Amino acid sequence: MIAAFRIPGAGRLRQAETASFSFDGHSYAGVEGDTLASALLANGVHLIGRSFKYHRPRGFLSAGAEEPNALVEIKRDSARKTPNVRATVQELYDGLAAQSQNRWPSLSFDVSALGDIASPLLSAGFYYKTFMWPKSAWKNFYEPKIRAAAGLGVAPDQADPDHYSARFAHCDVLVLGGGAAGIAAALAAAETGVRVILVDEQAEFGGSLHFESGAKIDRQDGFAWAQSAVAKLKTMDNVRVLSRTTAFGYYAQNFVGLVERVSDHLQNPGRDLPRERLWQVRAKRVVLATGAIERHMVFADNDRPGIMLASAARTYLNHYGVTVGRNVGVYTANDSAYAAAIDLKKAGVGVAAIVDLRDNPTGPVIEEARALGIEVNFGRAVIRAGGKLRVSSMTVQPKNGGGERTIPVDAILMSAGWTPSVHLFSQSRGKVAFNDETKRFVPGAYAQDCVSVGACNGTDGLSATIDEAYAAGAKAAKDVGANAKGNKPKVDASENWSRGMLGAAPGAGADTTVKAFVDFQNDVTAKDIRQAVHEGMRSIEHVKRFTTNGMATDQGKTSNMHGLAIAAETLGKPIPQVGLTTFRAPYTPVTFGSIVGHARGPLFDPTRKTAIHPWAERQGAVFEDVGQWKRAWYFPKAGEDMHAAVDRECVTVRKTAGLFDASTLGKIEVVGPDAAKFMELLYTNPWEKLEPGRCRYGIMLREDGFIYDDGVVGRLAPDRFHVTTTTGGAPRVMNHMEDYLQTEFPHLNVWLTSITEQWAVIAVQGPKSRDIIAPLVEGIDMSDEALPHMSVREGRICGVPTRLFRMSFTGERGFEVNVPADYGQAVWEALWAEGQKHGACAYGTEAMHVLRAEKGYIIVGQDTDGTVTPNDAGLDWAVGKKKTDFVGIRGMVRPDLVANGRKQLVGLKTKDPKVVLEEGAQIVGDSKQAIPMTMIGHVTSSYWSENCGRSIALALVAGGRDRMGETLYVPMPNATIEVEVTGMVFFDEKGERLNG
Amino acid sequence: MLLIRCPYCEEERPELEFRNAGEAHIARSANMAGESDDDFEKFFFIRSNPKGIIYERWRHMHGCARFFNAVRDTVSDRFLLTYKAGEPKPAKLPGASK
């Protein structure tokens, strides 16, 4: 069986119906090579969607990527639902299921179409004006209602199960567009041997040769020539040919983004195939052969299903073998629509009349149309279309007024002329120039190494196009050092098109109120554009935003020039003075999937795990994310919640000992004859006199005098420092050091090496820490005399090398055992076994935080925020008073940084010891003051301390150190909390336990 | 994505490998502690932010890791020249727009 509107023998598809598909639940048959659009049209279906704002019934306008109306949802399964697919682009496969969008309850009866009747309320800029009263109703009523009624498809509600791949590519000549021009340019370049990539968005190459029945190249039908030329290109090793691939963005230095649709056209895409592939191509030369897009005529009710571009009707006939009607009318202002009428007539389709706005056009197509017996009317306009769900008639009137005549038709083919596709050229930052004679914007000044050829360059006629394109391809190859010696394709026959018109046609002029659509997808009429100008919009950018003309997903491919011309006419200015809106990427919508590629789920960001991570996992540790690191947060025993686990860990460390994985700590080795001098410049502390084998707590400032990082630094040798940084700060500290070493202090003989991942670090803290470590250590005297607090030795532990630090971030006697990361877990397990003999525990980052807060040790980035000086943090003792230079030395003493009343770090004790403050809570001096209160500081750290038997907190408070003992207030939503200002040390104020 | 020539690697590499590091040719005083408030303000806070030619520091972060200087046209986003850290501001620029 053959579908009702498929014409036997017409088109290039094998007409055996092999695919069945559904649209809104109805089943239809299609043939191999169909698009969803051509298959529906073959079955006589024109009504495909409802419009965005007025819910007007809509049909197919085009046969390609510029389609504004025919947006559908394609559903493969519950997770694979793609909204807003252009039916004119979607290739048919057996079993395809499509749904119409933006209608309720059904496509042919849509309740919201009442919006069409209420449309005077919905004209341009309506949301700025109409729904202003009462004010609160906008947010709660109008906006949700309008948003529900307006719109396109519905986003899928499940994660995308498909995968997407990405590739980088480099080439000498990248040809964008695979019509006659692109193929000719690619041939010329490819024959020289340079690397060529040829790209086209359609399934088959040929561009407008899909419909141009009058084209003959190298003694073949134009489309057949295109296929054989591309087949030849595919055999060449230096050429890559990509079909179903859209060049969506043209970026700096000939960097072009392509999306290849790999499997959307397949019935059962295998799991090994990505859905789409993103190509990022860097080309030495780019040839733009992006063609031109036909414009519609702007007349009353020009959006009725069955009214479409003349070239679309030709494509459906000449390529797909489908007629879009039985009795078609043609409305045109240029020659190309005549060819549609002629092709249809020759295929046996009735052509009711051609209505031509021009007064006395002449030429071969006009003669041919007449010779075929088609009625041709000059100097007349179609002033209105009849019908609702399908066009039923066109009403014709002399363009200067006069008697009306209504002609019954079931389709209207229209052409107002052709708009060069300068999108990618414009994206390349090239400047378009307006040709007043042909009324088109064409490429003007170039900004990159590219060239436009053919219709996108305003070149008319196939011969001229191929000459220009072939020469451009050869020149591009020559520019990169290759010489052409091929055979230029010879054009034996071609079609010639004249120019057309811009703006509203007679009958839709300024004196009318008809709905003559300029932008179909956003429901913008000629009247809306005029209204925008009348309401004060002068620039096309303002008109665009006020009316939303050209702002839909089709980016105004068919509407921009009409909108511009109407605005210019209304303003009484020439078109170039009103300006063209900027073209931006993407050329057509691009899926998030193709941009994201494989960078999702676990591949979105690297996960860093320490050598001891598997052990912590086995122990049932709960982890927290610290930057890219997974850190053990706490180690709950059976029945323990976080609170209980942390309390137990904190108490055990102070009672016996605890093991803590500190491997994530940033570590940098500073080595060289000038290492000490370098340290003097990068840290506030003095380093020259630090004995090898000793450690010091160092503070790093930025040049502005604020604390940037901190950490314990061990001097291993006169020329070697083992520097530790905060976990999160490691990369930026390394960058900061490299910056100064390379650019400000290049005279210093120093090398910097990141050793964060080379050393696993096991902190053993608590009164029993030495007893746990000592049995495993060789070659290091562990006595307090030989290894006092803040010292470092190199030796062996468990038979492997170690850098053993005696240091403490808990206030207890403590050690940090550095071992090569590969031995980290084995040494940890050995220490754990020793620790078990003494009742030690493993503790996580939460207990680490509590223990350090009990001692008033700060965490840079938590208790400081980039506006805290060493003095603010109570760390003046760490700033070398005799030093003449270090980074931050000058910034630190700027007037505002030494002024009275700065926020200083202090301790806070709540009056009720059971109340734990919230970190970030604001602090006020007087809780009775009027709102808004004057806030004098905020809580930076706050915990329950089981060791202290109460809550503890650190806070930045204005003039804090002068407020010791003062009562302050922390207002919270439910209550105001009274606090007392205290010192920062809550436990073992004298520090005796460091040697305990 | 821009292509940037690293003067140490002597190769054009994609922007992904680099990181901008602010304006170039702002020398840190040899007598930092003795700088006046005004001079420190000029040194630390004031940047030129021109429309046109800018001299700036870049680091070949994911390459040789060296800091270098570059001349870029902020209008066209083109790199006119790159040169090693410590080299003087170039007297002549190739193909600079006005």
Side-chain angles (χ1 to χ4, degrees):
Chain A
M1 202 195 116
I2 203 166
F5 289 85
R6 210 175 291 275
I7 296 180
R12 303 190 181 94
L13 309 185
R14 291 178 55 240
Q15 292 187 338
E17 284 173 345
T18 53
S20 78
F21 68 101
S22 72
F23 175 62
D24 279 353
H26 297 280
S27 288
Y28 301 98
V31 311
E32 191 183 336
D34 261 334
T35 60
L36 176 59
S38 68
L40 282 168
L41 288 169
N43 288 283
V45 178
H46 278 258
L47 176 62
I48 182 83
R50 287 275 173 173
S51 73
F52 180 72
K53 194 158 85 174
Y54 301 129
H55 288 251
R56 284 169 69 101
R58 288 285 164 81
F60 305 94
L61 180 74
S62 75
E66 69 271 35
E67 177 62 35
N69 289 336
L71 304 182
V72 297
E73 177 185 284
I74 304 287
K75 183 176 174 181
R76 280 190 191 266
D77 54 44
S78 64
R80 290 178 174 83
K81 285 191 293 188
T82 310
N84 303 332
V85 173
R86 287 152 295 162
T88 53
V89 170
Q90 174 66 49
E91 291 172 59
L92 197 69
Y93 54 80
D94 190 34
L96 182 144
Q99 291 268 337
S100 59
Q101 302 180 156
N102 199 32
R103 83 288 186 266
W104 188 86
S106 75
L107 187 53
S108 55
F109 176 72
D110 180 357
V111 169
S112 295
L114 289 172
D116 196 14
I117 298 160
S119 60
L121 285 174
L122 300 174
S123 65
F126 72 97
Y127 30 68
Y128 303 123
K129 304 179 294 206
T130 312
F131 300 105
M132 295 303 281
W133 186 89
K135 206 174 169 187
S136 62
W138 171 253
K139 196 172 150 208
N140 301 320
F141 181 74
Y142 294 133
E143 190 186 4
K145 292 284 175 206
I146 293 167
R147 284 201 186 281
L152 300 171
V154 180
D157 53 7
Q158 292 181 37
D160 187 345
D162 289 317
H163 66 105
Y164 299 79
S165 75
R167 287 191 64 170
F168 288 91
H170 297 262
C171 67
D172 295 307
V173 181
L174 172 63
V175 183
L176 303 177
I183 292 169
L187 282 172
E191 282 159 356
T192 69
V194 301
R195 293 171 305 162
V196 176
I197 298 178
L198 171 64
V199 175
D200 193 79
E201 64 186 354
Q202 299 200 58
E204 288 169 295
F205 283 79
S208 59
L209 298 173
H210 276 84
F211 62 80
E212 272 192 48
S213 49
K216 282 214 165 23
I217 306 169
D218 287 347
R219 293 190 299 279
Q220 296 177 78
D221 158 63
F223 186 80
W225 168 83
Q227 305 320 303
S228 59
V230 169
K232 181 182 162 196
L233 286 166
K234 280 181 180 169
T235 65
M236 298 170 79
D237 290 338
N238 58 322
V239 181
R240 183 188 293 281
V241 175
L242 295 171
S243 60
R244 299 188 178 94
T245 303
T246 301
F248 64 84
Y250 196 135
Y251 305 96
Q253 288 170 288
N254 275 356
F255 190 69
V256 180
L258 316 174
V259 167
E260 181 184 5
R261 288 169 295 280
V262 180
S263 59
D264 270 354
H265 63 291
L266 300 175
Q267 182 188 1
N268 291 309
R271 283 296 293 152
D272 54 331
L273 280 183
R275 181 172 171 224
E276 292 177 345
R277 184 178 289 124
L278 176 72
W279 292 81
Q280 296 177 74
V281 183
R282 181 81 68 176
K284 288 185 184 152
R285 292 290 183 279
V286 174
V287 177
L288 295 163
T290 47
I293 292 172
E294 198 170 30
R295 290 184 304 275
H296 58 280
M297 297 294 289
V298 179
F299 62 99
D301 298 325
N302 59 343
D303 63 330
R304 294 305 184 200
I307 306 181
M308 65 172 65
L309 300 175
S311 60
R314 283 187 88 190
T315 303
Y316 290 121
L317 179 69
N318 294 341
H319 188 75
Y320 298 101
V322 172
T323 177
V324 299
R326 301 270 186 234
N327 181 38
V328 304
V330 174
Y331 182 24
T332 187
N334 91 99
D335 281 356
S336 65
Y338 281 80
I342 292 165
D343 287 350
L344 282 161
K345 183 79 178 174
K346 283 178 174 170
V349 177
V351 178
I354 295 175
V355 180
D356 194 328
L357 260 185
R358 297 172 297 179
D359 286 325
N360 282 303
T362 54
V365 281
I366 294 157
E367 297 313 315
E368 190 178 355
R370 282 206 164 115
L372 286 166
I374 300 172
E375 177 194 329
V376 180
N377 302 283
F378 293 146
R380 282 178 162 74
V382 173
I383 57 164
R384 168 179 349 112
K388 188 147 196 190
L389 299 180
R390 176 78 184 266
V391 64
S392 61
S393 66
M394 59 181 188
T395 300
V396 180
Q397 190 183 39
K399 68 179 182 187
N400 298 320
E404 294 180 8
R405 174 186 158 213
T406 295
I407 305 171
V409 292
D410 60 359
I412 301 176
L413 317 182
M414 50 187 173
S415 178
W418 293 78
T419 307
S421 291
V422 294
H423 308 75
L424 291 172
F425 168 79
S426 181
Q427 283 184 33
S428 81
R429 295 193 175 195
K431 295 261 181 284
V432 294
F434 190 70
N435 182 322
D436 203 43
E437 191 190 340
T438 59
K439 302 284 179 214
R440 353 182 238 212
F441 282 100
V442 291
Y446 282 83
Q448 298 202 36
D449 288 330
C450 61
V451 59
S452 300
V453 297
C456 73
N457 196 36
T459 303
D460 296 318
L462 191 56
S463 257
T465 288
I466 287 203
D467 285 353
E468 177 179 74
Y470 195 82
K475 179 171 187 304
K478 199 175 175 197
D479 287 347
V480 299
N483 273 308
K485 51 170 177 18
N487 296 314
K488 190 171 73 178
K490 186 170 172 296
V491 175
D492 304 311
S494 82
E495 301 180 357
N496 280 304
W497 301 333
S498 57
R499 280 144 200 187
M501 57 95 68
L502 291 172
D511 53 339
T512 65
T513 58
V514 299
K515 275 208 182 66
F517 285 90
V518 174
D519 183 319
F520 292 102
Q521 198 174 107
N522 265 353
D523 271 348
V524 180
T525 63
K527 176 173 161 278
D528 290 328
I529 304 231
R530 292 188 197 104
Q531 184 192 336
V533 172
H534 290 142
E535 295 195 11
M537 311 302 142
R538 290 293 175 269
S539 150
I540 194 64
E541 296 286 355
H542 295 154
V543 171
K544 167 181 167 175
R545 279 154 187 81
F546 193 72
T547 61
T548 71
N549 191 55
M551 286 171 68
T553 64
D554 67 334
Q555 296 264 298
K557 288 184 179 61
T558 48
S559 66
N560 278 344
M561 289 307 296
H562 282 320
L564 176 57
I566 295 166
E569 186 191 14
T570 314
L571 283 164
K573 284 183 182 174
I575 284 174
Q577 278 185 32
V578 182
L580 190 61
T581 56
T582 311
F583 293 99
R584 294 193 178 86
Y587 173 70
T588 50
V590 172
T591 61
F592 284 112
S594 63
I595 301 291
V596 170
H598 293 297
R600 53 188 280 201
L603 297 179
F604 176 66
D605 202 25
T607 300
R608 300 174 82 185
K609 292 176 182 171
T610 71
I612 296 143
H613 186 93
W615 184 90
E617 241 174 358
R618 284 201 301 277
Q619 295 290 314
V622 177
F623 292 89
E624 67 167 336
D625 291 336
V626 180
Q628 293 172 331
W629 288 104
K630 297 279 177 205
R631 298 197 73 181
W633 195 12
Y634 56 97
F635 292 83
K637 291 191 168 173
E640 276 185 342
D641 62 5
M642 176 175 176
H643 199 74
V646 172
D647 285 353
R648 174 183 49 74
E649 290 170 18
C650 288
V651 168
T652 308
V653 170
R654 298 214 187 279
K655 207 170 105 197
T656 53
L659 268 66
F660 174 70
D661 180 2
S663 303
T664 65
L665 218 64
K667 295 174 280 292
I668 298 167
E669 204 161 285
V670 179
V671 184
D674 295 322
K677 276 188 194 150
F678 181 72
M679 291 297 294
E680 290 275 342
L681 285 165
L682 268 289
Y683 282 82
T684 60
N685 320 63
W687 300 96
E688 296 273 18
K689 290 189 178 143
L690 183 70
E691 292 286 326
R694 298 307 305 266
C695 302
R696 184 162 280 166
Y697 168 72
I699 300 177
M700 172 178 273
L701 306 184
R702 295 187 310 216
E703 205 70 82
D704 57 6
F706 295 125
I707 296 174
Y708 190 52
D709 202 73
D710 70 347
V712 170
V713 177
R715 190 170 196 176
L716 297 168
D719 62 350
R720 186 174 297 260
F721 290 84
H722 179 114
V723 176
T724 66
T725 74
T726 56
T727 292
R732 61 180 157 80
V733 169
M734 184 74 184
N735 187 68
H736 178 81
M737 285 183 169
E738 278 288 352
D739 192 351
Y740 277 96
L741 179 60
Q742 290 184 31
T743 66
E744 295 295 348
F745 313 130
H747 56 284
L748 296 180
N749 199 355
V750 175
W751 288 268
L752 303 171
T753 309
S754 167
I755 52 169
T756 302
E757 305 213 330
Q758 271 58 49
W759 295 97
V761 184
I762 304 160
V764 186
Q765 303 273 312
K768 299 287 184 194
S769 55
R770 182 168 56 187
D771 300 341
I772 293 169
I773 296 170
L776 305 174
V777 172
E778 301 160 53
I780 300 172
D781 183 345
M782 301 273 295
S783 68
D784 282 348
E785 298 69 43
L787 187 67
H789 178 58
M790 293 302 263
S791 51
V792 57
R793 295 289 179 274
E794 290 179 274
R796 300 181 86 77
I797 187 166
C798 306
V800 304
T802 183
R803 289 179 178 176
L804 180 64
F805 285 75
R806 168 110 188 250
M807 56 184 278
S808 176
F809 201 42
T810 58
E812 301 296 320
R813 170 188 293 277
F815 299 87
E816 290 195 358
V817 181
N818 285 250
V819 292
D822 286 350
Y823 301 116
Q825 184 157 247
V827 173
W828 172 282
E829 284 176 4
L831 286 165
W832 176 250
E834 284 298 321
Q836 292 298 90
K837 297 175 190 169
H838 300 275
C841 70
Y843 66 101
T845 50
E846 188 65 18
M848 179 269 283
H849 276 103
V850 177
L851 291 164
R852 65 90 202 175
E854 289 172 352
K855 292 297 299 176
Y857 299 151
I858 67 161
I859 290 186
V860 169
Q862 176 166 345
D863 301 300
T864 70
D865 61 3
T867 66
V868 175
T869 66
N871 182 277
D872 297 340
L875 296 170
D876 259 351
W877 57 268
V879 179
K881 302 292 175 296
K882 291 180 192 154
K883 292 176 70 170
T884 55
D885 197 8
F886 58 81
V887 174
I889 193 169
R890 181 62 187 84
M892 200 175 76
V893 294
R894 284 181 288 147
D896 286 345
L897 271 61
V898 294
N900 287 327
R902 285 189 61 79
K903 286 184 184 172
Q904 295 171 328
L905 211 51
V906 293
L908 292 183
K909 283 183 178 169
T910 50
K911 290 281 165 84
D912 177 351
K914 298 236 170 340
V915 173
V916 181
L917 295 169
E918 273 191 36
E919 288 175 355
Q922 295 293 321
I923 299 163
V924 301
D926 170 12
S927 64
K928 303 271 189 289
Q929 63 184 302
I931 293 171
M933 297 188 181
T934 303
M935 294 173 287
I936 59 171
H938 66 276
V939 178
T940 61
S941 290
S942 175
Y943 309 95
W944 171 258
S945 164
E946 188 71 9
N947 286 313
C948 299
R950 59 158 302 122
S951 71
I952 57 169
L954 301 177
L956 280 166
V957 177
R961 287 199 292 272
D962 293 332
R963 294 179 186 266
M964 289 298 144
E966 240 179 68
T967 298
L968 301 177
Y969 302 90
V970 179
M972 297 300 288
N974 302 323
T976 295
I977 303 165
E978 268 185 80
V979 298
E980 184 193 331
V981 181
T982 70
M984 289 166 64
V985 184
F986 299 92
F987 188 84
D988 181 30
E989 275 193 57
K990 290 183 185 155
E992 288 161 339
R993 299 182 65 91
L994 286 168
N995 292 305
Chain B
M1 188 166 33
L2 300 171
L3 284 174
I4 303 172
R5 181 183 167 80
C6 172
Y8 294 95
C9 299
E10 299 186 342
E11 241 187 273
E12 275 200 326
R13 307 291 301 170
E15 191 183 344
L16 281 176
E17 295 182 8
F18 297 85
R19 188 177 294 174
N20 184 284
E23 193 165 349
H25 299 294
I26 297 170
R28 188 178 188 273
S29 167
N31 177 26
M32 200 62 194
E35 291 284 283
S36 69
D37 282 339
D38 285 350
D39 285 345
F40 182 80
E41 182 197 28
K42 283 193 195 101
F43 160 73
F44 190 77
F45 293 105
I46 307 302
R47 294 295 180 267
S48 61
N49 193 25
K51 180 179 179 182
I53 301 300
I54 188 166
Y55 296 80
E56 57 192 3
R57 300 174 344 113
W58 285 78
R59 187 180 183 199
H60 195 185
M61 192 73 193
H62 303 292
C64 65
R66 301 294 295 268
F67 284 85
F68 60 90
N69 293 330
V71 190
R72 186 171 59 94
D73 186 332
T74 61
V75 176
S76 66
D77 217 12
R78 263 173 207 272
F79 280 80
L80 305 177
L81 198 63
T82 57
Y83 50 103
K84 292 176 181 174
E87 289 180 1
K89 221 173 187 174
K92 265 183 93 177
L93 297 176
S97 69
K98 275 147 241 149

